[in-house]
Amino acid sequence: FERFRSLNVRSNDQLDELVSQCQNIVQGVQPQTLRDDAQVRQTFNRELSSVQATLDELLVDRPRRRIIRSPK
């Protein structure tokens, strides 16, 4: 999360909100708890899937640049 903030990709308030939401989801969850507790794992997966769905809506396909090369 700190890496995202350091990259300064803050062109979208929704993206900032999703990063904060992800940080709240993973906060306090220990890796061993995810391994051992199926209920926690299922809840974790459901919440992150919701974030992923929202993020997918934010992604747009941009046209590729057309590079014209001069003949040699």
Side-chain angles (χ1 to χ4, degrees):
F1 302 110
E2 291 305 317
R3 174 123 169 93
F4 173 80
R5 288 181 180 93
S6 71
L7 291 173
N8 199 21
V9 187
R10 296 172 170 240
S11 60
N12 188 314
D13 290 336
Q14 285 180 301
L15 184 57
D16 289 340
E17 177 61 32
L18 285 175
V19 171
S20 295
Q21 189 176 351
C22 285
Q23 190 170 15
N24 289 336
I25 291 169
V26 300
Q27 185 175 10
V29 178
Q30 299 298 319
Q32 193 61 45
T33 304
L34 283 175
R35 292 183 196 107
D36 296 341
D37 192 335
Q39 181 66 31
V40 171
R41 193 169 46 246
Q42 184 179 29
T43 301
F44 195 78
N45 188 26
R46 185 177 60 248
E47 290 176 359
L48 288 179
S49 293
S50 172
V51 171
Q52 180 182 5
T54 305
L55 184 60
D56 287 344
E57 292 173 8
L58 293 176
L59 294 175
V60 293
D61 289 331
R62 295 191 181 248
R64 294 180 149 221
R65 293 182 182 174
R66 184 173 177 187
I67 299 173
I68 301 172
R69 296 183 183 180
S70 59
K72 290 184 177 182

